[in-house]
Amino acid sequence: MALGLITTGASGHAEEVSIGVYSGRHYNTDQKLYQQFTAKTGIQVKLLEAKDDSLIERLRQEGTNTAADVLVLVDAARLERASSLDLLQPARSAALLRSVPLNLRDSKGRWVGLTRRVRVVLVNPALVKAASIRTYGDLANPALKGKLCLRDRKSVYNQSLVASQMILRGDAQAQRWVKAMTANVSQPYFSSDIPLIRALASGQCGVGLVNTYYLARLLNGESGAADRALARKLQVVFPNPAHVNISGAGITRHAKNPQAALKLIEFLASPVGGKGYAEANHEYPLKGYGDDPILKGMGHFKADGLSAEQLGSRNRAAVKLMEANGWL
Ligand SMILES: [Fe+2]
């Protein structure tokens, strides 16, 4: 994806404060939120959007010269990676302690979650009974042989899901699960969630794993009537407990304006800012289920309660386990 630089307000006044935001999110409505923040605080936001991993690399290379004060990334494992590379600095903030649940922030204060995303089982009821699946473990059932569509091992979403199962069930059981589940896969593996949803709806397979916001986008007609009709054929199963991941942000190690950066993060984590940030991409806010009518239609889930930090710390082990057990 091309880099896009957007500024929230007209500059010109010498006393104006501005901050640089590098963001792995890319939703038009995010920009409206940054504009709201500028209107409220007078702090201008210079936004650079690019893929998460290239932003991490860019920050590393820029070192002390970086224009970024805030780094926004998608997925716990990436936030952990950025902090382990010493690209983020700790912040102390009573507002963040109030807004962000303990398990959705770094214990050292280097990043906080801003939205929650849930990876669910999606079923084509013409091929697989939704009632036959209650947990991620059920995807290993040999009755699903040839009926399972999966995104590939490179997907950080799948890596975090596997990390969650390693933490909850232990490595040995998680390994057996991945091995049996990958034996059910209808190949080829997918490189993104949207084509996987289309494959499910067209009957290429009967069951798959996706983040709810991808289905929500299709149900909302964001990619046209044909996709909406496909999405309507599918049924969401929230595994119990459900794997919850985050998008989140931290102040960069070499921020020129860390106080203004903290103000932006506090705004995005607040109930008002957080609502807009979540709804931009049909994600769940930090607390509760939010007001997105499409998500509401999917029902409620019980989160597994794991910490995002734990997910990040098991990322490498998860990738190894996937690699050794047939997840292409
Ligand atoms: Fe995504």
Side-chain angles (χ1 to χ4, degrees):
M1 186 189 152
L3 301 177
L5 185 66
I6 298 131
T7 306
T8 51
S11 58
H13 298 286
E15 68 278 17
E16 265 175 2
V17 178
S18 82
I19 51 173
V21 175
Y22 285 2
S23 175
R25 288 169 53 103
H26 39 267
Y27 315 116
N28 292 334
T29 37
D30 282 6
Q31 288 157 32
K32 283 189 208 143
L33 271 179
Y34 299 136
Q35 283 158 3
Q36 268 179 43
F37 171 75
T38 301
K40 212 173 112 145
T41 62
I43 300 168
Q44 281 186 49
V45 175
K46 289 185 177 144
L47 176 66
L48 180 75
E49 292 184 334
K51 285 199 169 160
D52 303 76
D53 295 332
S54 70
L55 290 176
I56 290 175
E57 191 46 40
R58 189 180 168 120
L59 263 182
R60 279 178 82 170
Q61 288 180 6
E62 289 175 341
T64 56
N65 295 322
T66 190
D69 297 277
V70 174
L71 178 64
V72 179
L73 294 174
V74 158
D75 199 282
R78 292 198 182 110
L79 289 159
E80 253 315 278
R81 211 174 110 227
S83 47
S84 71
L85 291 167
D86 199 28
L87 299 174
L88 301 175
Q89 60 172 291
R92 291 171 73 91
S93 158
L96 288 181
L97 293 182
R98 273 196 308 274
S99 309
V100 187
L102 181 65
N103 67 321
L104 303 180
R105 53 181 147 92
D106 176 38
S107 58
K108 297 193 180 81
R110 295 166 297 185
W111 51 262
V112 294
L114 296 172
T115 64
R116 295 184 301 154
R117 36 215 11 239
V118 183
R119 200 146 183 81
V120 297
V121 173
L122 201 54
V123 168
N124 181 333
L127 296 167
V128 170
K129 267 194 193 148
S132 68
I133 296 161
R134 289 173 184 192
T135 66
Y136 297 102
D138 290 335
L139 296 180
N141 184 341
L144 296 176
K145 196 160 189 83
K147 292 184 178 168
L148 174 64
C149 275
L150 282 185
R151 185 162 166 175
D152 62 33
R153 185 177 76 224
K154 276 188 281 180
S155 157
V156 73
Y157 305 149
N158 284 335
Q159 296 168 7
S160 289
L161 171 66
V162 170
S164 78
Q165 299 303 297
M166 293 167 83
I167 297 161
L168 288 170
R169 304 166 67 188
D171 291 6
Q173 227 186 312
Q175 189 228 326
R176 283 195 290 277
W177 167 65
V178 168
K179 197 168 190 169
M181 183 169 64
T182 54
N184 287 338
V185 167
S186 156
Q187 294 208 30
Y189 279 76
F190 290 79
S191 58
S192 51
D193 282 21
I194 294 280
L196 194 158
I197 295 174
R198 293 188 185 120
L200 269 173
S202 62
Q204 195 179 317
C205 42
V207 61
L209 279 168
V210 299
N211 288 355
T212 48
Y213 57 83
Y214 290 109
L215 181 69
R217 279 183 212 165
L218 300 190
L219 288 171
N220 198 34
E222 287 166 34
S223 59
D227 272 345
R228 178 189 261 163
L230 284 176
R232 281 184 174 157
K233 293 182 182 174
L234 301 170
Q235 222 173 315
V236 171
V237 176
F238 285 108
N240 187 6
H243 165 60
V244 176
N245 209 321
I246 55 171
S247 72
I251 302 172
T252 62
R253 168 60 67 196
H254 300 293
K256 306 292 181 296
N257 207 339
Q259 281 169 342
L262 180 58
K263 275 192 192 154
L264 176 65
I265 296 173
E266 287 174 346
F267 171 71
L268 295 174
S270 71
V272 172
K275 181 175 150 69
Y277 226 42
E279 285 175 4
N281 183 35
H282 306 287
E283 290 178 73
Y284 294 98
L286 289 169
K287 295 171 185 172
Y289 298 96
D291 298 321
D292 185 307
I294 293 176
L295 287 188
K296 275 188 170 170
M298 293 181 191
H300 287 179
F301 60 90
K302 184 177 169 284
D304 62 19
L306 293 181
S307 80
E309 191 176 353
Q310 265 180 304
L311 295 176
S313 68
R314 294 309 309 273
N315 179 266
R316 233 173 246 218
V319 175
K320 265 194 189 163
L321 188 147
M322 293 164 91
E323 195 170 7
N325 293 283
W327 201 315
L328 300 184

